[in-house]
Amino acid sequence: MNGSNKIFILLALFLSTLTLNAQISDDVKSELEQESFLTFDLFSSLNTFNPRWKTGYVKSIDERWKVGLNLGYGNKIISYTYFAEKFGEKFKLWELRPELYRVFKQNEKTIKYLSLELFYINHKDVFHNKYYYPENGGEISYDQANYQRHKYGFNVNVGEFIKIGKGFGINIFTGIGL
């Protein structure tokens, strides 16, 4: 990534955190407390190694807390990155991601939050005529390998739901996890 791309990303992140402060009427507050979201992640389908389609639901518990659940699924048939040839012919992946949100600031257009996301990923594939380098050195080549990965962990995210129009918005977030 060159320097101009890094500057653009930093500037976009900085500008996305700027909001106008205004008083919120009781009617609008009540509406925000009950607000729930259907989510759809377009970027996860662009991953050339593990493409998948993710959808989810975020439900308000009260003014300060939300819970969410994202489900993802991918295979070679529904992937439009199959041309990258980074995954095998029997690629199949599904994931489950529950998330707890702590809302820190909200107004009519934005909701800023900190969240804890747990995840589980089940990934299966079959690879042909490749090789890999084990940690203890050397090279191992194979004609066929049945691959299965179970990955689980957590992420701590900070982000912002930004309303663009009635019933439509963007969730911009970043995080770190294990």
Side-chain angles (χ1 to χ4, degrees):
M1 187 181 302
N2 64 29
S4 63
N5 285 345
K6 288 180 184 177
I7 292 171
F8 176 76
I9 291 170
L10 288 173
L11 184 60
L13 287 172
F14 175 74
L15 291 176
S16 71
T17 61
L18 298 177
T19 59
L20 297 174
N21 292 321
Q23 291 182 351
I24 301 175
S25 70
D26 289 339
D27 292 339
V28 172
K29 270 189 178 179
S30 175
E31 204 175 285
L32 285 170
E33 288 174 15
Q34 301 305 315
E35 196 165 44
S36 299
F37 309 98
L38 287 174
T39 63
F40 187 71
D41 186 344
L42 295 174
F43 294 112
S44 64
S45 63
L46 299 174
N47 184 326
T48 57
F49 292 101
N50 304 309
R52 58 200 174 264
W53 294 93
K54 289 190 337 189
T55 187
Y57 183 71
V58 178
K59 171 83 174 132
S60 291
I61 296 173
D62 62 27
E63 184 179 299
R64 294 287 172 208
W65 295 95
K66 296 182 183 300
V67 293
L69 179 64
N70 284 301
L71 303 171
Y73 181 77
N75 65 33
K76 188 170 183 173
I77 295 170
I78 64 173
S79 169
Y80 53 82
T81 59
Y82 66 89
F83 60 86
E85 297 182 14
K86 301 286 185 185
F87 49 89
E89 65 191 35
K90 297 202 179 192
F91 168 74
K92 185 164 70 169
L93 180 145
W94 63 268
E95 67 181 336
L96 180 67
R97 293 178 175 266
E99 192 164 5
L100 178 64
Y101 300 86
R102 171 67 164 102
V103 175
F104 285 103
K105 191 174 181 182
Q106 62 184 359
N107 60 39
E108 287 123 359
K109 295 287 183 187
T110 64
I111 299 171
K112 295 179 188 229
Y113 67 84
L114 178 71
S115 72
L116 175 64
E117 174 188 45
L118 304 175
F119 65 85
Y120 172 75
I121 299 173
N122 184 307
H123 177 190
K124 295 179 182 179
D125 210 336
V126 176
F127 296 107
H128 295 281
N129 301 320
K130 296 196 179 181
Y131 56 90
Y132 73 96
Y133 300 102
E135 289 180 5
N136 58 357
E139 176 182 296
I140 297 176
S141 61
Y142 56 86
D143 294 328
Q144 178 178 321
N146 296 328
Y147 177 77
Q148 183 162 5
R149 172 177 68 138
H150 297 279
K151 181 177 179 181
Y152 53 91
F154 69 92
N155 294 316
V156 177
N157 299 320
V158 61
E160 185 171 4
F161 293 109
I162 302 170
K163 292 183 192 176
I164 295 176
K166 186 167 176 70
F168 184 72
I170 297 174
N171 179 14
I172 297 175
F173 66 94
T174 187
I176 189 167
L178 181 65

